[in-house]
């Protein structure tokens, strides 16, 4: 199938576009489930929206689908009210527009046998038009632009490439651009937001990609609640059938691209891509995540004439401090690959490692004294002096609390490590030559997932639990043994002797030669947790 080629520049009049979590459910501002719906609208001063045009359409309705799609056209009564009854199951949009510049868009979902429902009163808001300039394949004589769920269409001017969609209610939209000569030649653009409270630079998109989708990174208090800007951040992007059309991308190594808000390509790594199962996990290196704000990126997918460029070494760049990153997705039977260019690939030891569903897709369960050895790591990038700078992090789930130690990351008991100690505490320890262990601790518990981050910065030491600083006042536990740099890193066991085996599950183990900031660590936790609110996929 040939595709439209070129780019689109969307320009608003009166309003600009930007993705917002307030519109995460799709077009409109509300959501209800019922077989009968009563809707009332008023103007901002409380006056009923009497005599306003009302259009009910299926959510996937397009202007050229008038024959097969459910549609109702009517007007509000003198009190600004309209009743829809006997609707079939499905998702709908309701546009109420007085045709004088005031409108509202409502989304609703109808389920079988649900009772009738009266929606909260909706307020009419100022409408807007938006315009675009399309550069497309000149072999396509004409191109139409339509809006999903709305009675809107526009023709692209064959000379200038310009188009305008007028009198649009505030809301979130998906556009369809298609050739009038061959409707199979088409491109969807998702995540277009119209709101008078948001501003964004004009949007430029390459239309040669069949699937174009906006992703919003939300650091406001309704999202990750991170107030400082974070740069070069590897964000995990979870795709599923609810937010991505896998029918457009069937390859095991798909051709996709990520772009920042300026149109620059962002590196990415595919941890998992399962088109038949409609699920994917990707890590994308975001150049700038704005603090207490919304950052928009774009995913492009579905081209068949290019190859995928999954590149873990570019995402987890050693120049950005990453010295080892283990996603632990191997299943426990083969090498445990390091995503960085250092290739500190782990070797499973014992038979008690197994792949299980963890926080970010598959991780590993540790049992029966099994562990992971990291060969050739005694010297070099993973060996730090006692007053060096580094960060250790991991997602951990321990099966039991007892009087035994359980190591998470160990570079010998007499250098550094992250563990659960015999006092039922999460513990970051750094050994000081001929002096003892410098320890920061916090209470541990079994049966729950924890995101642990231990930071050493010169003489300062910090332990974070679930993105929150738990201890910054290290305590010295005295010993007179010399520091020992001679041992390899191990995951799930003390590295200098066969002891302190971990019992439970782990995911996403990392070692960096940077002292990660509190904002960085909090953003990692907020992004990676399963109930995250940081990544919003339109």
């Amino acid at each position: 199938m040939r595709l439209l080629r070129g780019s689109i520049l969307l320009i608003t009049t009166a309003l600009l576009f930007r993705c917002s979590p307030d519109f995460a459910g799709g077009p409109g501002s509300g959501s209800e489930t019922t077989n009968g719906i009563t809707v009332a609208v008023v103007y901002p001063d409380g006056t009923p929206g009497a005599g306003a045009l009302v259009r009910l359409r299926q959510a996937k309705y397009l202007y050229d689908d008038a024959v097969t799609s459910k549609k109702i056209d009517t007007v509000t009564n003198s009190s600004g009210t309209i009743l829809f009854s006997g609707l079939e199951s499905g998702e709908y949009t309701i546009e109420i527009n007085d045709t004088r510049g005031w409108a509202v868009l409502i989304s609703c979902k109808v389920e079988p046998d649900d009772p009738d429902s009266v929606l909260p009163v909706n307020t009419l808001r100022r409408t807007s038009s938006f315009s675009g300039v399309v550069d497309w394949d000149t072999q396509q004589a004409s191109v139409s632009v339509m809006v999903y769920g709305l009675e809107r269409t526009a023709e692209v001017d064959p000379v200038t490439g310009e188009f305008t969609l007028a009198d649009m209610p505030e809301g979130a939209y998906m556009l369809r651009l298609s050739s009038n000569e061959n409707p199979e030649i088409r491109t969807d653009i998702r995540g277009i937001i119209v709101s008078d409270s948001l501003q964004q630079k004009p949007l430029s998109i390459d239309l040669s990609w069949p699937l174009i989708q906006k992703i919003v990174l939300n650091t406001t208090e309704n999202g990750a609640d991170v107030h400082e800007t974070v740069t070069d951040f590897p964000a995990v992007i979870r795709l599923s059938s609810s937010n991505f059309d896998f029918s457009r991308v069937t390859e095991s190594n798909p051709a996709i691209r990520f772009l920042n808000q300026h149109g620059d390509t962002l590196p990415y790594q595919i941890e998992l891509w399962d088109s038949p199962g409609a699920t994917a996990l990707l890590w994308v290196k975001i150049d700038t995540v704005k603090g207490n704000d919304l950052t928009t990126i774009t995913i492009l997918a579905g081209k068949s004439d290019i190859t995928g460029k999954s590149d873990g070494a570019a995402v987890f760049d050693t120049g950005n401090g990453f010295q080892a990153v283990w996603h632990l997705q191997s299943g426990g039977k083969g090498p445990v690959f390091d995503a960085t260019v250092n290739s500190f690939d782990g070797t499973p030891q014992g038979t008690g490692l197994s792949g299980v569903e963890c926080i970010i897709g598959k991780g590993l369960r540790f049992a029966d004294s099994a562990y992971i050895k990291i060969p050739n790591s005694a010297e070099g990038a993973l060996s730090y002096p006692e007053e060096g700078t580094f960060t250790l992090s991991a997602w951990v789930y321990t099966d039991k609390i007892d009087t035994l130690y359980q190591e998470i990351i160990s570079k010998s008991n007499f250098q550094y490590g992250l563990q659960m100690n015999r006092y039922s505490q999460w513990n970051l320890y750094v050994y000081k030559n001929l002096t003892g262990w410098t320890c920061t601790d916090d209470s541990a518990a079994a049966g729950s997932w924890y995101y642990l981050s231990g930071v050493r910065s010169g003489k300062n030491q910090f332990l974070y639990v679930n993105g929150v600083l738990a201890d910054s006042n290290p305590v010295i536990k005295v010993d007179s043994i010399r520091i020992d740099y001679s041992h390899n890193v191990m995951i799930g066991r003390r590295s200098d002797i066969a002891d302190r085996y971990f019992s439970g599950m782990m995911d996403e183990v990392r070692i960096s030669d940077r002292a990660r900031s509190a904002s960085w660590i909090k953003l990692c936790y907020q992004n990676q947790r399963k109930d995250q609110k940081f990544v919003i996929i339109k």
Side-chain angles (χ1 to χ4, degrees):
M1 180 178 74
R2 294 183 66 253
L3 301 169
L4 300 173
R5 294 199 296 270
S7 62
I8 177 172
L9 181 66
L10 295 179
I11 308 166
T12 61
T13 61
L15 296 179
L16 295 174
F17 297 146
R18 182 173 181 177
C19 295
S20 164
D22 296 335
F23 301 93
S29 57
S31 179
E32 293 288 339
T33 57
T34 178
N35 279 339
I37 302 172
T38 299
V39 182
V41 293
V42 297
Y43 289 95
D45 64 0
T47 303
L53 176 65
V54 181
R55 296 188 180 109
L56 179 142
R57 301 290 186 267
Q58 291 179 326
K60 294 185 177 181
Y61 168 84
L62 287 169
Y63 184 81
D64 62 358
D65 191 28
V67 175
T68 61
S69 182
K70 175 74 172 180
K71 56 187 293 186
I72 297 175
D73 293 341
T74 184
V75 295
T76 57
N77 63 19
S78 59
S79 62
T81 302
I82 184 68
L83 168 65
F84 299 99
S85 60
L87 293 175
E88 298 177 356
S89 299
E91 297 182 2
Y92 295 89
T93 62
I94 303 170
E95 178 189 3
I96 303 178
N97 192 318
D98 73 352
T99 69
R100 298 188 302 274
W102 296 89
V104 67
L105 188 68
I106 304 164
S107 65
C108 58
K109 185 176 182 180
V110 175
E111 300 283 3
D113 303 321
D114 277 351
D116 292 348
S117 179
V118 178
L119 299 186
V121 175
N122 284 265
T123 301
L124 297 167
R125 302 179 185 276
R126 277 294 185 185
T127 62
S128 176
S129 63
F130 63 82
S131 302
V133 180
V134 181
D135 179 15
W136 78 94
D137 189 339
T138 56
Q139 296 182 39
Q140 303 304 322
S142 62
V143 174
S144 294
V145 183
M146 292 170 282
V147 182
Y148 279 90
L150 280 191
E151 195 73 20
R152 296 291 192 284
T153 187
E155 295 298 314
V156 176
D157 188 290
V159 177
T160 66
E162 297 176 351
F163 72 89
T164 298
L165 290 162
D167 199 27
M168 298 285 292
E170 181 177 286
Y173 298 99
M174 180 165 67
L175 305 184
R176 162 68 62 86
L177 283 83
S178 66
S179 165
N180 292 329
E181 285 69 34
N182 183 358
E184 292 300 314
I185 301 175
R186 63 188 187 273
T187 297
D188 289 342
I189 305 176
R190 301 168 183 256
I192 303 301
I193 303 294
V194 175
S195 173
D196 59 1
S197 62
L198 300 173
Q199 294 185 351
Q200 180 172 299
K201 294 180 180 179
L203 180 65
S204 180
I205 297 179
D206 181 355
L207 293 183
S208 64
W209 294 82
L211 186 61
I212 304 168
Q213 201 157 344
K214 309 305 290 183
I215 299 175
V216 178
L217 308 177
N218 181 9
T219 56
T220 71
E221 63 180 6
N222 296 319
D225 193 24
V226 173
H227 291 249
E228 293 182 356
T229 294
V230 176
T231 59
D232 296 328
F233 180 78
V236 62
I237 307 295
R238 297 172 170 95
L239 302 179
S240 67
S241 59
S242 66
N243 60 28
F244 188 80
D245 184 1
F246 281 89
S247 67
R248 300 287 192 95
V249 187
T250 58
E251 302 88 349
S252 59
N253 183 26
I256 57 177
R257 292 287 185 273
F258 288 90
L259 306 178
N260 67 10
Q261 58 187 348
H262 306 296
D264 302 321
T265 301
L266 301 173
Y268 69 91
Q269 181 194 21
I270 298 174
E271 181 174 338
L272 168 70
W273 191 281
D274 178 10
S275 288
T279 185
L281 292 168
L282 305 99
W283 295 93
V284 182
K285 182 181 179 182
I286 313 298
D287 55 340
T288 303
V289 179
K290 293 177 287 187
N292 194 29
D293 206 340
L294 304 175
T295 301
T296 302
I297 65 173
T298 304
I299 180 173
L300 312 176
K303 289 186 73 171
S304 58
D305 57 348
I306 65 171
T307 57
K309 294 183 179 180
S310 175
D311 188 352
V315 176
F316 300 98
D317 185 5
T318 54
N320 191 30
F322 293 103
Q323 298 305 323
V325 174
W326 299 282
H327 299 315
L328 304 186
Q329 81 277 33
S330 65
K333 306 304 180 185
V336 180
F337 293 109
D338 171 19
T340 77
V341 72
N342 289 331
S343 297
F344 284 118
D345 299 336
T347 304
Q349 305 292 312
T351 60
L353 290 176
S354 58
V356 291
E357 192 69 23
C358 289
I359 291 293
I360 309 164
K362 293 289 186 181
L364 287 178
R365 172 169 285 282
F366 292 71
D368 301 327
S369 301
Y371 62 97
I372 300 168
K373 180 179 180 180
I374 312 300
N376 305 312
S377 60
E379 299 178 354
L382 303 186
S383 186
Y384 306 110
E386 60 188 71
E387 293 186 358
T389 299
F390 60 91
T391 300
L392 313 177
S393 64
W395 282 93
V396 298
Y397 179 110
T398 183
D399 291 330
K400 59 184 179 181
I401 296 288
D402 52 27
T403 59
L404 300 177
Y405 289 86
Q406 294 185 47
E407 288 281 358
I408 300 164
I409 305 170
S410 173
K411 181 74 170 65
S412 106
N413 191 48
F414 300 100
Q415 189 174 1
Y416 69 76
L418 185 64
Q419 66 178 357
M420 185 180 72
N421 64 25
R422 64 190 179 96
Y423 307 106
S424 302
Q425 295 174 317
W426 305 121
N427 168 237
L428 170 67
Y429 63 89
V430 180
Y431 194 77
K432 186 174 178 63
N433 191 40
L434 303 175
T435 302
W437 296 272
T438 305
C439 296
T440 41
D441 312 295
D442 192 52
S443 298
S448 296
W449 279 102
Y450 290 87
Y451 180 65
L452 305 180
S453 297
V455 179
R456 180 73 177 189
S457 180
K459 295 182 179 181
N460 298 314
Q461 190 167 308
F462 310 91
L463 178 66
Y464 294 81
V465 178
N466 291 342
V468 177
L469 180 61
D471 188 8
S472 60
N473 298 302
V475 174
I476 296 291
K477 297 184 179 180
V478 177
D479 204 312
S480 58
I481 295 176
R482 290 186 177 277
I483 196 168
D484 185 356
Y485 296 103
S486 65
H487 297 279
N488 287 317
V489 170
M490 292 189 185
I491 300 173
R493 198 203 85 171
R494 177 173 164 175
S495 65
D496 48 327
I497 63 172
D499 193 12
R500 302 184 182 180
Y501 296 97
F502 187 81
S503 177
M505 295 179 284
M506 286 194 215
D507 201 356
E508 197 60 24
V509 178
R510 299 178 181 178
I511 301 178
S512 300
D513 65 1
R514 302 279 178 87
R516 298 300 187 190
S517 69
S519 293
W520 176 285
I521 291 168
K522 182 176 182 180
L523 191 56
C524 285
Y525 170 69
Q526 295 290 359
N527 172 219
Q528 295 170 24
R529 58 190 292 183
K530 283 199 170 184
D531 59 346
Q532 65 87 33
K533 298 179 182 179
F534 171 58
V535 177
I536 304 166
I537 303 176
K538 298 296 184 180

